[in-house]
Amino acid sequence: MPDRPALIVDCDPGHDDALALVLADAYADVLGITSVSGNAPLDDTTRNAIGIAALLGSSADVYAGEAGPLVGEPRHAGGVHGRGGLGRVALPQHDRVISELHAVDYLIEATRKQSNVWLVPLGPLTNIARAIERDSELVERIEGISLMGGSTDIGNVTAVAEFNIWADPEAAKIVMGSGAPIRMCGLNLTRQWLSDDTVAARLKEGELVKALVGAAILDDIHDRMEALGRGRRCALHDPCAVLAVTHPTLFQFEPRHVTVETRGIYTRGMTVVDERTTPGVPEANVGVGYHIDSTSALELLFSAFEEAKT
Ligand code: BDR
Ligand code: CA
């Protein structure tokens, strides 16, 4: 793998998506950023994505994608991220414009032009599933998919479903069954890496605007978590999926068979991770994340915010 892997980040910013974009910009070659309906409606996640790209001086264009899931109505996470996706956080003004190409077209075209690309989905998997439906050979062209979604144990929207999978289970099922090499950063992993006020305080010592925006993002999500009765801390979900590509040695992944429940009354959107060790279990299709070195991950987060682009 090259020192800086080539990524396309598919996201729904989202506080933690924004932090993940900072990490991707610091440690990878971000070819493009695609937006999807998820934490907030598509217009909001797209506006936030291009605002972060501008803040970072990223050369990646932003492509707007799907405004709702494959089946049913769009579902958002306003209770956590606010109605616009980034709560009270105001991103700096900029003059960048959204690409005219649709995100799904971009995913297909970009992976035809370059073969070693990682897709890093940080929201519902609608864009990725649509691209695979239209071009099934896409999964053979890419290096892999490192996604934030699912869980080996408990969920966050329901007892067993995590938001990104729950918001579009049909898309997640297509992606999990696509044959692509997949790294799954689920809640069981991402909840091992928590931010708190000390992280925000350290970012406030930085001189770069991106560090101050990062601190504002953390302050806002910590306020929201506190108001929800969860304490002034937040799991850094989406950054895990970026570091799983740029710094894989920080992680423990295990091969597992994973599929997605689309029909259960109580279990729709659950990632069904087969942890049996008996003979005859289905062949593994996903590398499931079980452990992250959160101390090293945090140092990488600080460096990403503190380093100016050369
Ligand atoms: C996931 O859902 C969103 O709220 C976050 O951005 C993250 O991608 C966590 O369940
Ligand atoms: Ca997200």
Side-chain angles (χ1 to χ4, degrees), residues 9-236:
V9 182
D10 182 74
C11 57
D12 62 337
H15 296 71
D16 57 331
D17 300 74
L19 303 178
L21 285 168
V22 176
L23 284 171
D25 180 67
Y27 301 120
D29 284 339
V30 182
L31 305 179
I33 299 169
T34 52
S35 61
V36 69
S37 166
N39 285 325
L42 180 68
D43 285 351
D44 293 313
T45 59
T46 306
R47 184 195 61 241
N48 295 340
I50 201 164
I52 296 288
L55 169 71
L56 297 173
S58 168
S59 59
D61 283 330
V62 175
Y63 305 83
E66 295 293 316
L70 299 189
V71 175
E73 295 301 312
R75 308 181 98 168
H76 307 303
V80 174
H81 296 276
R83 280 171 54 184
L86 281 178
R88 293 168 292 140
V89 178
L91 297 175
Q93 299 266 337
H94 63 86
D95 57 7
R96 295 187 52 161
V97 293
I98 299 158
S99 170
E100 286 179 10
L101 193 63
H102 190 280
V104 174
D105 295 315
Y106 170 71
L107 287 165
I108 292 169
E109 285 184 19
T111 55
R112 282 186 180 151
K113 280 192 193 142
Q114 194 169 328
S115 61
N116 61 342
V117 179
W118 277 92
L119 305 185
V120 183
L122 309 176
L125 288 156
T126 323
N127 289 338
I128 311 296
R130 285 266 186 235
I132 292 170
E133 273 184 337
R134 282 210 0 231
D135 179 357
S136 59
E137 289 174 4
L138 179 147
V139 299
E140 288 152 30
R141 296 196 299 270
I142 59 175
E143 195 78 14
I145 299 174
S146 179
L147 64 90
M148 191 285 133
S151 178
T152 62
D153 45 45
I154 60 175
N156 55 5
V157 183
T158 73
V160 292
E162 179 279 331
F163 175 78
N164 290 342
I165 307 297
W166 172 86
D168 196 343
E170 280 74 18
K173 189 165 189 172
I174 289 170
V175 172
M176 294 297 188
S178 68
I182 297 176
R183 293 180 189 164
M184 175 181 133
C185 298
L187 295 175
N188 60 294
L189 175 90
T190 62
R191 284 176 168 149
Q192 296 169 30
W193 186 17
L194 302 176
S195 63
D196 60 19
D197 286 331
T198 65
V199 179
R202 164 102 176 245
L203 293 186
K204 285 174 197 164
E205 293 168 9
E207 292 180 355
L208 299 174
V209 176
K210 67 177 174 178
L212 302 179
V213 172
I217 288 171
L218 287 175
D219 281 342
D220 192 74
I221 195 71
H222 295 156
D223 288 349
R224 289 173 178 279
M225 289 293 146
E226 187 173 36
L228 291 168
R230 302 184 199 170
R232 292 191 63 76
R233 67 187 77 85
C234 180
L236 296 174

